[in-house]
Amino acid sequence: MNCFRSKIVIIGAGWAGFILSQQLNDTTYDITIIAPHQTFAYTPLLASAATGLFFSRLAEEPIRRAHRRTTYYRALATAADFTKQTVTCIPSVLQPSGRDVPDAEHPFTIEYEILIIAPGCVNQTFDTPGAAEHCFFLKTVPDAEAIKAKILSLLEVASLPTTTPERAKELLHVAVVGGGPTGVELSAELTDLFNEMSKTYPHLAGIPSITIHDVAPEILGVFHEKLKVHALQSFKKHDVEVKTNSHIEKIEEGALYTKEDGRISAGMVAWATGNKQCDFVDSLPGISRAARLGRILTDQRLRTLKEDQTVLENVYALGDAADIFGKSLPTTAEGQITVAVQKAEYLVKTLNRHPALPAKPFVYKQRRMVAYVGGTDGVIMGRQDWTGEAAWLAWRSGSLGWTRSWRRKGMIMASWAWNFIGGREIARK
Ligand SMILES: Cc1cc2nc3c(=O)[nH]c(=O)nc-3n(C[C@H](O)[C@H](O)[C@H](O)COP(=O)(O)OP(=O)(O)OC[C@H]3O[C@@H](n4cnc5c(N)ncnc54)[C@H](O)[C@@H]3O)c2cc1C
Ligand SMILES: *[C@@H]1O[C@H](CO)[C@@H](O)[C@H](O)[C@H]1NC(C)=O
Ligand SMILES: CC(=O)N[C@H]1CO[C@H](CO)[C@@H](O)[C@@H]1O
């Protein structure tokens, strides 16, 4: 039995792809995973990782595993041929800096019998001049480490005898572009960090500042009114300035320019807005796409649809790269993981049974939405609205829920306890 294993190729090792890579039956399937980075990142933990709340290694999980018969290629998928059933990839080469650089000179092609497309989204800078070069992003663990290193460097430069207090203020001004959950969480974590830093850098007390810029008339667009008001009040208390209706015109080293205020000095500009499909998804031929963001459309069993809405056999799509035709699921950052995870678990169940057997359609179960707004304070949206301490606790335990491995849960808890006693990791580096 099972001398013949069907070849499954999974593109992407995010919330969706990682779960599939770990849970598909490796006795029945010959599983190949394609992802440009060797770990899966717990995205909700990245903001805390960036501000040194715990060792950033805890925010990721290796794709290669002992006791699993899977093949992993550190590469980017660049094209798929649905007729020949092949995927073309280019290697993603790890640099000493910790970054991955794609190597277009050495493409390779692999065959599949079942293809699972889950490459997520890539950040979008709307062609804002200078953004790609000068902004800090928060999508991967190396991104989080880069933010951490930059903050530490700014604190040290601001402490030099040659730095005037005015210059220190400019250096320690962090501008966050994007008032969605990611931007809000990063700002909240930064406030906490700066508050704590005032102990190790007492000479810089009161100097750091954070501004959130959003083009929209309000931040946290998806949350209930009451919760938004609470988040804003909390930011006021923590000296986070929120600039809504703010249009970013360009970014330079050390400054951003807005239509409303002109040049604003900032030691760091974090870009936390805008998603678009990766080039691979854009390149897929003959498939049906959602009006919103050009996501791949699937049927209710997550099978990719062709332009004429018929099923493309053996090609599944899920996560941020896909939508179900005729169904509206949460699309705000806060519900997306739940959707990605539930779809991945559904597909695991379907494929582990047998892909040819009739499957029940995917059904989404509503879960709560959480955003963190600094200190022991937070907002939660779900069955009932919570604010304050209870929400914070739920957020913390919620973020433990994200990390499925108990070893990691233990380590994260230990590092929170450690922070409580010993101050944040970043300070002791
Ligand atoms: C900082 C941050 C915080 C967030 N917080 C929350 C939250 O609290 N709650 C929530 O619901 N959502 C949150 N989100 C959104 C959530 O992370 C995404 O909805 C979710 O990750 C989508 O899962 P996915 O598997 O589709 O894609 P991802 O998790 O983005 O994974 C995509 C994977 O595909 C790989 N990949 C990309 N292109 C290619 C290619 N061409 N070939 C091969 N591999 C490729 C990537 O390297 C990655 O491994 C957050 C996102 C960020 C960035
Ligand atoms: C995988 O499939 C094999 C053969 O069908 C089966 O014996 C085994 O129990 C399955 N493993 C898991 C973890 O479901
Ligand atoms: C413009 C752009 O693509 N910027 C960033 C998007 O995210 C990646 C991965 O984190 C960054 O390396 C890019 O610079």
Side-chain angles (χ1 to χ4, degrees):
M1 227 186 120
N2 288 315
C3 37
F4 177 73
R5 294 154 80 216
S6 306
K7 191 163 168 49
I8 290 195
V9 171
I10 303 170
I11 296 174
W15 284 97
F18 183 73
I19 289 175
L20 282 151
S21 77
Q22 302 301 309
Q23 295 182 13
L24 281 175
N25 190 328
D26 60 351
T27 311
T28 23
Y29 293 113
D30 170 6
I31 304 163
T32 300
I33 307 138
I34 314 281
H37 192 67
Q38 84 281 11
T39 60
F40 150 71
Y42 292 109
T43 46
L45 298 180
L46 288 176
S48 330
T51 54
L53 183 58
F54 51 76
F55 300 99
S56 44
R57 290 283 161 270
L58 296 171
E60 58 187 345
E61 205 67 73
I63 296 167
R64 288 184 194 279
R65 280 290 167 84
H67 315 300
R68 282 276 302 160
R69 279 205 290 164
T70 55
T71 305
Y72 166 61
Y73 295 129
R74 191 188 185 106
L76 278 164
T78 52
D81 185 325
F82 299 130
T83 324
K84 290 189 191 142
Q85 304 210 335
T86 58
V87 176
T88 303
C89 309
I90 56 172
S92 163
V93 184
L94 178 62
Q95 305 298 306
S97 66
R99 293 272 172 188
D100 301 277
V101 173
D103 171 11
E105 308 274 283
H106 299 94
F108 60 94
T109 298
I110 52 175
E111 292 178 352
Y112 68 81
E113 280 159 81
I114 296 173
L115 179 64
I116 299 173
I117 305 174
C121 277
V122 290
N123 51 45
Q124 147 100 300
T125 56
F126 311 101
D127 293 325
T128 308
E133 298 86 332
H134 301 297
C135 286
F136 285 74
F137 296 86
L138 189 59
K139 281 246 167 197
T140 64
V141 170
D143 289 345
E145 308 234 286
I147 292 181
K148 192 149 110 177
K150 180 69 181 180
I151 294 168
L152 194 56
S153 142
L154 290 171
L155 285 165
E156 292 303 337
V157 174
S159 303
L160 292 173
T162 43
T163 307
T164 61
E166 295 72 42
R167 182 73 192 123
K169 260 200 150 59
E170 290 179 359
L171 288 169
L172 292 177
H173 172 225
V174 177
V176 175
V177 181
T182 302
V184 167
E185 261 177 50
L186 180 62
S187 311
E189 293 286 1
L190 283 168
T191 349
D192 283 2
L193 175 69
F194 284 142
N195 280 339
E196 278 184 48
M197 288 294 97
S198 61
K199 292 176 206 149
T200 27
Y201 294 81
H203 51 285
L204 296 178
I207 288 184
S209 62
I210 300 163
T211 314
I212 301 180
H213 292 264
D214 203 306
V215 277
E218 58 178 11
I219 60 164
L220 287 174
V222 296
F223 286 84
H224 291 159
E225 204 48 47
K226 208 171 94 197
L227 296 172
K228 269 184 280 202
V229 169
H230 179 80
L232 283 174
Q233 281 170 349
S234 171
F235 274 150
K236 209 168 266 163
K237 206 168 76 196
H238 293 108
D239 289 328
V240 174
E241 195 184 346
V242 178
K243 290 207 173 208
T244 48
N245 296 309
S246 174
H247 297 77
I248 311 292
E249 288 188 321
K250 64 172 175 173
I251 315 282
E252 272 177 4
E253 178 65 45
L256 70 160
Y257 291 78
T258 67
K259 200 169 111 196
E260 291 73 19
D261 298 315
R263 185 180 189 281
I264 304 170
S265 299
M268 180 169 96
V269 184
W271 193 276
T273 186
N275 271 335
K276 64 175 180 189
Q277 296 311 318
C278 63
D279 295 344
F280 170 73
V281 168
D282 277 343
S283 81
L284 295 175
I287 58 159
S288 180
R289 285 171 196 281
R292 201 175 58 84
L293 294 172
R295 291 177 177 222
I296 303 168
L297 277 179
T298 71
D299 71 354
Q300 308 228 349
R301 287 164 59 187
L302 313 187
R303 299 176 301 181
T304 299
L305 294 175
K306 290 190 257 191
E307 267 160 350
D308 61 4
Q309 314 294 6
T310 57
V311 169
L312 182 61
E313 288 302 332
N314 298 327
V315 180
Y316 298 87
L318 69 164
D320 282 357
D323 272 337
I324 296 179
F325 178 65
K327 213 167 174 190
S328 87
L329 295 173
T331 50
T332 57
E334 289 309 296
Q336 292 188 123
I337 290 177
T338 326
V339 175
V341 168
Q342 287 184 19
K343 280 184 173 180
E345 286 172 345
Y346 165 86
L347 203 52
V348 163
K349 229 162 125 188
T350 309
L351 293 175
N352 277 353
R353 240 170 99 238
H354 198 284
L357 288 177
K360 289 196 188 115
F362 169 75
V363 181
Y364 173 71
K365 294 182 204 76
Q366 179 72 45
R367 297 271 158 77
R368 63 173 189 229
M369 294 175 154
V370 187
Y372 175 47
V373 289
T376 48
D377 208 346
V379 293
I380 253 190
M381 184 172 138
R383 252 166 254 134
Q384 74 252 63
D385 294 351
W386 297 346
T387 50
E389 200 89 21
W392 183 80
L393 280 176
W395 183 87
R396 284 295 190 222
S397 49
S399 72
L400 284 179
W402 299 120
T403 63
R404 303 182 143 239
S405 112
W406 284 98
R407 185 174 58 88
R408 249 145 238 270
K409 286 186 192 183
M411 285 164 78
I412 290 176
M413 274 198 279
S415 69
W416 279 340
W418 181 247
N419 285 316
F420 187 69
I421 310 163
R424 293 184 177 214
E425 178 205 349
I426 193 171
R428 294 190 311 270
K429 232 182 175 172

